[in-house]
């Protein structure tokens, strides 16, 4: 007699008098997952402990607008096609790094009807005056601030000195922009050299990988945004 015949799956339960296919609930709803990181969550949780995604309520109600303004980086009448391509690749990496954070990232001027003046502006620009930094931002720990600047001319100078290729240049630009946005969303510097929030981005490290944030940083930024939004309502 085969194992299938010996199991006799059609035999009713003696107590319930129901066959097995009626005793097993095959219509159980799937376990909920976080929309930000797809981790298992409980329906009673307000935020995801893995990535900080807001579970209770609508994320659109607590999103903060960040405008990455690249209008100041194209000067003169030269061919900017290569730089536009590099910037497009860099912005894609930045937007990916913030996919679990409650921000609306845009490279276009924010819609005044939706955002008013309540957005953070990241100036990506080229200037003639040399400085000793790649970017600078307003910062208050755990709070949202409204302005930062990224000096493309300084990044290009560092890239040329280090003989970086276009892919590495794209990573360095993306890490610099993400670093300054992180400051405007309340993140302090990190002591870990490979961290996107490390004080003084190292082109030897941050040109080799796109920007990313760990779970604690994501939770801190989302908490800063929620506090900021609660003050506006």
């Amino acid at each position: 007699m085969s194992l299938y015949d010996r199991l006799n799956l059609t035999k009713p339960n003696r107590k319930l008098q129901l066959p097995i296919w009626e005793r097993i609930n095959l219509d159980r709803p799937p376990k909920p997952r976080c929309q930000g990181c797809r981790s298992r969550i409980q329906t009673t949780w307000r935020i995801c402990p893995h990535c900080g995604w807001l579970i209770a309520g609508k994320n659109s109600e607590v999103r903060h607008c960040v405008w990455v303004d690249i209008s100041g980086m194209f000067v003169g009448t030269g061919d900017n096609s290569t730089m536009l391509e590099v910037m497009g690749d860099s912005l894609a990496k930045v937007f990916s790094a913030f996919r679990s954070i409650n921000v609306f990232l845009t490279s276009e001027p924010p819609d005044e009807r939706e955002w008013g003046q309540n957005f953070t502006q990241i100036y990506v620009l080229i200037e003639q005056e040399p400085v000793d930094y790649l970017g600078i931002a307003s910062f208050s720990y755990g709070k949202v601030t409204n302005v930062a600047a990224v000096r493309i001319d300084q990044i290009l100078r560092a890239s040329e000195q280090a003989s970086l290729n276009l892919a590495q240049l794209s990573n360095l630009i993306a890490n610099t922009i993400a670093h300054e946005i992180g400051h405007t969303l309340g993140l302090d510097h990190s002591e870990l050299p490979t961290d996107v929030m490390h004080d003084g981005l190292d082109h030897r490290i941050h040109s080799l990988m796109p920007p990313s944030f760990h779970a604690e940083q994501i939770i801190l930024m989302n908490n800063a945004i929620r506090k900021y939004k609660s003050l506006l309502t």
Side-chain angles (χ1 to χ4, degrees):
M1 182 181 291
S2 68
L3 176 62
Y4 180 83
D5 293 329
R6 282 184 281 128
L7 285 174
N8 188 13
L9 299 178
T10 63
K11 183 178 180 180
N13 183 289
R14 292 181 180 179
K15 293 182 179 179
L16 300 177
Q17 295 299 312
L18 292 173
I20 190 170
W21 58 81
E22 293 184 18
R23 284 183 276 131
I24 297 177
N25 180 13
L26 299 178
D27 298 324
R28 288 180 298 175
K31 294 183 179 179
R33 291 181 178 271
C34 171
Q35 294 183 10
C37 66
R38 305 304 299 166
S39 300
R40 298 282 190 185
I41 57 173
Q42 300 293 329
T43 55
T44 55
W45 292 352
R46 291 185 57 83
I47 64 172
C48 174
H50 306 287
C51 72
W53 185 268
L54 181 67
I55 298 169
K58 297 180 180 178
N59 277 280
S60 59
E61 296 176 353
V62 294
R63 286 195 305 171
H64 178 62
C65 179
V66 176
W67 176 20
V68 183
D69 181 2
I70 65 172
S71 62
M73 63 171 287
F74 299 110
V75 295
T77 58
D79 182 10
N80 293 313
S81 58
T82 300
M83 198 61 212
L84 273 172
E85 185 177 344
V86 172
M87 276 306 304
D89 187 55
S90 299
L91 290 178
K93 294 171 183 176
V94 172
F95 286 19
S96 177
F98 285 88
R99 65 185 180 276
S100 296
I101 300 149
N102 298 326
V103 293
F104 173 74
L105 278 167
T106 178
S107 57
E108 300 292 333
D111 185 345
E112 188 173 353
R113 293 172 297 178
E114 182 176 3
W115 303 104
Q117 297 300 314
N118 296 317
F119 59 84
T120 295
Q121 187 167 2
I122 313 297
Y123 295 92
V124 181
L125 70 160
I126 291 177
E127 289 189 352
Q128 298 300 320
E129 182 180 355
V131 292
D132 59 355
Y133 56 81
L134 302 182
I136 190 169
S138 56
F139 167 70
S140 181
Y141 181 75
K143 295 182 179 180
V144 172
T145 55
N146 64 357
V147 66
V150 172
R151 289 288 299 269
I152 289 294
D153 52 299
Q154 295 299 113
I155 298 175
L156 291 175
R157 187 174 290 108
S159 173
E160 184 178 354
Q161 292 174 350
S163 300
L164 302 183
N165 58 38
L166 291 180
Q168 292 171 325
L169 172 60
S170 171
N171 283 333
L172 186 58
I173 293 173
N175 273 283
T176 306
I177 295 174
H179 179 102
E180 302 309 333
I181 295 176
H183 278 318
T184 68
L185 298 179
L187 291 186
D188 202 349
H189 282 137
S190 167
E191 296 182 359
L192 185 64
T194 56
D195 198 314
V196 66
M197 295 308 298
H198 181 62
D199 184 11
L201 293 175
D202 190 336
H203 63 266
R204 293 168 298 182
I205 297 174
H206 294 94
S207 64
L208 300 178
M209 56 187 179
S212 64
F213 295 95
H214 57 70
E216 183 179 355
Q217 291 172 326
I218 293 171
I219 291 172
L220 285 171
M221 284 188 281
N222 282 336
N223 285 340
I225 292 169
R226 278 192 288 274
K227 290 176 183 177
Y228 177 72
K229 290 298 181 180
S230 67
L231 294 175
L232 298 178
T233 57

